[in-house]
Amino acid sequence: MSYIGLGRISNPTDYNPFDKSAILVLNQEFYYRFHKHWQSSFALSYRRQNEYFDSYPYERENPAFEQEFRFYSRFSYVLETRRFKFIPTFRQEFRKFYTPTFAREAENFQLRSRVRLQLSINLDAAKTHQIILSSEQLFSASKLYAPSQWEKLAYRESRFVGYYSFAPKSLPFIFDLGYMANRLGTTSPIYVHYAALDVIWKNPLSHHKMAKRTRIGNLE
């Protein structure tokens, strides 16, 4: 699966979700179903995250953005019936960070583990309409550049996601509309809210075969 993601954000005061550029994502993931119930994947990803000041007038920071190269793999157990699909997943990531000029960031790199439970519910026999719900917890440890030291492995955040998915049989596309509540921190957590639209083109190089649903929405 290949995808390009674009995100935009609001200012803290105007709540216009399209006000400013937030992120660019380029992602390539390879899936392998090696058993009826087991699936694995390996992925490479590039992300450009824009940075803004927290105080008015919320201009770009200097440097204006951070670059990230991400390598990850995941293992999933797939339990499927005619109506439901339940998928627990473990995902291990290596994240490397750079400034706009490819200099080292203060956070040199990070090891992050993600544990997710996902439930897909078919709303019709043809599986054209689906509801997809998931809960994911993230744990990480970072290697700092200056001073040179490791942060300890700890829980960092949770992500609660809901998607409506529409896959018409007459078209080679899947359309997803989703929402995520991102809980950050532990003792005094804050919440960040996301809305997303995915358009997935199934088997773009083939005119004769249609892919099965093997993915989830890309609110990651």
Side-chain angles (χ1 to χ4, degrees):
M1 174 184 286
S2 304
Y3 72 78
I4 299 174
L6 297 172
R8 301 191 68 85
I9 60 174
S10 68
N11 280 329
T13 55
D14 64 15
Y15 299 103
N16 174 9
F18 303 102
D19 191 33
K20 293 180 176 179
S21 176
I23 193 170
L24 165 68
V25 179
L26 306 176
N27 210 86
Q28 177 62 51
E29 187 161 5
F30 303 91
Y31 290 88
Y32 177 58
R33 188 79 170 262
F34 59 90
H35 185 271
K36 177 182 178 182
H37 295 294
W38 290 97
Q39 177 176 281
S40 63
S41 70
F42 173 77
L44 307 174
S45 182
Y46 169 77
R47 294 158 190 256
R48 173 175 160 158
Q49 180 83 47
N50 296 84
E51 303 287 347
Y52 299 95
F53 287 106
D54 293 332
S55 58
Y56 184 83
Y58 313 110
E59 298 294 337
R60 290 179 181 269
E61 293 185 1
N62 186 18
F65 61 88
E66 178 185 69
Q67 301 186 91
E68 176 189 342
F69 291 90
R70 183 180 299 185
F71 308 91
Y72 66 86
S73 62
R74 53 179 152 197
F75 293 90
S76 301
Y77 181 80
V78 182
L79 182 61
E80 187 172 10
T81 67
R82 184 173 300 180
R83 185 71 184 276
F84 301 100
K85 181 187 287 186
F86 179 65
I87 308 178
T89 298
F90 175 76
R91 169 168 161 172
Q92 184 61 50
E93 299 178 337
F94 172 82
R95 308 170 69 198
K96 177 67 175 176
F97 306 101
Y98 292 98
T99 68
T101 60
F102 287 95
R104 290 178 177 176
E105 281 277 16
E107 185 180 13
N108 194 4
F109 62 84
Q110 182 187 85
L111 299 176
R112 186 165 70 174
S113 301
R114 303 167 58 161
V115 181
R116 181 179 64 207
L117 299 177
Q118 178 184 295
L119 177 65
S120 300
I121 305 170
N122 298 317
L123 302 180
D124 62 335
K127 300 182 181 180
T128 301
H129 304 273
Q130 281 191 336
I131 297 295
I132 303 170
L133 306 172
S134 69
S135 172
E136 184 173 37
Q137 282 63 51
L138 290 79
F139 307 81
S140 64
S142 296
K143 177 65 166 64
L144 304 182
Y145 174 59
S148 180
Q149 64 182 41
W150 275 95
E151 290 184 340
K152 66 179 181 179
L153 178 67
Y155 164 80
R156 305 296 178 186
E157 59 182 286
S158 292
R159 299 178 179 180
F160 305 99
V161 178
Y163 260 95
Y164 166 71
S165 182
F166 176 56
K169 302 299 181 182
S170 58
L171 296 175
F173 297 100
I174 299 174
F175 304 94
D176 293 340
L177 182 63
Y179 163 78
M180 179 172 75
N182 192 186
R183 184 182 187 272
L184 304 169
T186 53
T187 54
S188 299
I190 62 172
Y191 284 85
V192 182
H193 303 277
Y194 297 84
L197 172 66
D198 299 334
V199 180
I200 301 169
W201 187 2
K202 300 180 292 184
N203 279 348
L205 302 180
S206 173
H207 299 287
H208 304 290
K209 295 182 179 180
M210 302 294 282
K212 291 178 65 178
R213 291 179 190 259
T214 58
R215 94 298 153 249
I216 64 162
N218 292 317
L219 272 173
E220 301 185 346

